[in-house]
Amino acid sequence: MTEIKIESGVPLANPNLRKLKYPLADMKVGDSFRFPTHKYASVNALVRRHSKETGKKFTLRKAESRCWRTE
């Protein structure tokens, strides 16, 4: 039988801080990243949700397949 170790002092993870596929949480104003053009709709939805949750502003350009943090 496997012994289970009990740990104390481990902080509870914030469920609102999801691991994102794209580096939105790490971006500073002026930073940008490229994404596959066919993923524009999913990146746009992710950016909108992340912006609403954090107050950060982003701009996407489908023609360039790029996302910028603007505020």
Side-chain angles (χ1 to χ4, degrees):
M1 182 190 258
T2 304
E3 187 173 324
I4 298 174
K5 182 179 175 185
I6 298 173
E7 301 174 317
S8 61
V10 178
L12 181 64
N14 185 341
N16 293 325
L17 298 177
R18 297 182 292 284
K19 182 173 179 181
L20 303 174
K21 183 176 182 178
Y22 298 100
L24 300 175
D26 300 328
M27 293 175 74
K28 295 178 178 66
V29 175
D31 289 351
S32 68
F33 67 90
R34 293 183 61 84
F35 56 87
T37 304
H38 70 279
K39 294 284 189 179
Y40 177 81
S42 62
V43 172
N44 187 39
L46 176 67
V47 165
R48 289 177 61 130
R49 185 173 59 239
H50 186 73
S51 182
K52 187 175 182 179
E53 291 174 356
T54 64
K56 297 176 182 178
K57 305 290 183 192
F58 298 88
T59 298
L60 281 86
R61 295 288 183 263
K62 186 174 184 177
E64 298 178 35
S65 299
R66 188 169 290 276
C67 173
W68 290 268
R69 176 160 176 216
T70 55
E71 290 182 38

